[in-house]
Amino acid sequence: MSYKWKLAQYLEVRWWKNYQKKLGKEYLGNKKDYWQKILAAADISAPVNKDVLDVGCGPSGIYTVMDGNRVQAVDPLLDQYESAIDFFTQNNYPEVHFFAQPFEDFDVVQTYDHVYCLNAINHFRDIEVSVQKLYACLRPGGTLLVGIDGHRHGFLKKIFQTIHMDLLHPVQMSLADYEALFSKRGFTTQKTVQYTTGNIFNYYLLKLTKE
Ligand SMILES: C[S@@+](CC[C@H](N)C(=O)[O-])C[C@H]1O[C@@H](n2cnc3c(N)ncnc32)[C@H](O)[C@@H]1O
């Protein structure tokens, strides 16, 4: 998995560099509106004065709409985003504590009321370790919101897993695979939302809790 992950991370920076060329000044505002829609779809009121963790946060993650909370955000590409992505600088978010490292290497020294892992888990190096760590991060009674692409067809999933044709995403799973993995690690599913429909993948929000 490691060579796949390294290649995916190399391509991820390139993807954001190309993507930003197409963006106008309204991009960050639009992305913040998108995050509010995601929270509403998952029935999560915007947290206030809570401990919040954004895992695989990227350069415009949900941490951008978490003012008034104690926010931490983890992503191995933060230093590269800082130098290559015009709309991202950590200085714009003085209240967010950023960790430039893979989540698999993140030291869990506290728990959080809200953990977000959006559009990210299928990029990770070791999904088993990461799901265990997400569980360790969550305070009992807290909420984990995961946003994922789930394969719609078993035969296409098998092809994608075997031929490794979706280079940006080392992890290729269906909604049922994700649900089984989170359940195996102790999470309870509170809500599943099919947010968009695609030909190969649907996009789902999984709202998970720890009893
Ligand atoms: C598609 S971006 C999503 C960013 C953000 N959550 C959003 O939705 O805008 C996926 C992110 O996952 C990050 N990522 C990849 N492997 C990771 C890992 N092992 N631990 C934490 N983040 C990782 C990538 O660096 C990338 O920034």
Side-chain angles (χ1 to χ4, degrees):
M1 171 60 85
S2 189
Y3 84 89
K4 280 192 193 175
W5 181 75
K6 284 185 185 145
L7 174 63
Q9 288 299 90
Y10 167 77
L11 294 173
E12 183 73 13
V13 181
R14 255 189 24 180
W15 186 90
W16 281 103
K17 279 189 198 167
N18 288 331
Y19 182 56
Q20 74 173 343
K21 290 181 195 154
K22 301 175 202 150
L23 302 175
K25 291 213 175 317
E26 67 291 351
Y27 168 68
L28 269 183
N30 290 344
K31 188 83 184 256
K32 289 180 184 183
D33 292 345
Y34 167 78
W35 290 129
Q36 299 299 354
K37 286 184 194 142
I38 291 288
L39 289 172
D43 272 339
I44 296 178
S45 350
V48 180
N49 200 21
K50 299 286 186 196
D51 290 305
V52 171
L53 179 66
D54 186 358
V55 181
C57 62
S60 52
I62 201 164
Y63 62 85
T64 56
V65 296
M66 290 290 144
D67 294 353
N69 295 284
R70 295 170 294 281
V71 185
Q72 299 185 357
V74 189
D75 196 300
L77 292 179
L78 285 168
D79 295 338
Q80 293 180 64
Y81 292 145
E82 186 79 47
S83 55
I85 304 300
D86 298 338
F87 59 79
F88 176 73
T89 170
Q90 295 189 23
N91 292 338
N92 286 346
Y93 307 98
E95 71 290 356
V96 178
H97 187 171
F98 288 99
F99 295 82
Q101 61 183 150
F103 184 54
E104 292 86 339
D105 302 340
F106 178 69
D107 276 334
V108 183
V109 294
Q110 66 164 95
T111 53
Y112 304 82
D113 302 293
H114 293 277
V115 179
Y116 298 100
C117 186
L118 295 159
N119 317 314
I121 205 159
N122 57 347
H123 293 250
F124 283 11
R125 197 177 64 201
D126 187 332
I127 191 165
E128 291 277 348
V129 165
S130 298
V131 171
Q132 283 179 56
K133 199 165 268 201
L134 287 168
Y135 191 78
C137 285
L138 197 61
R139 201 161 280 171
T143 303
L144 166 67
L145 184 64
V146 184
I148 39 164
D149 283 322
H151 269 281
R152 293 190 60 185
H153 311 288
F155 70 100
L156 280 181
K157 180 180 84 172
K158 203 81 210 151
I159 291 172
F160 274 62
Q161 287 173 339
T162 312
I163 302 181
H164 188 212
M165 51 205 283
D166 181 3
L167 295 175
L168 279 169
H169 304 111
V171 177
Q172 299 285 329
M173 302 197 340
S174 65
L175 174 65
D177 296 333
Y178 282 112
E179 285 179 331
L181 181 58
F182 283 108
S183 154
K184 183 173 86 179
R185 293 298 165 206
F187 287 99
T188 304
T189 304
Q190 207 175 73
K191 193 176 173 76
T192 304
V193 178
Q194 187 184 316
Y195 192 73
T196 59
T197 306
N199 291 328
I200 300 176
F201 301 98
N202 290 337
Y203 185 71
Y204 300 97
L205 296 171
L206 284 183
K207 183 179 176 185
L208 303 152
T209 55
K210 177 173 174 173
E211 304 297 325

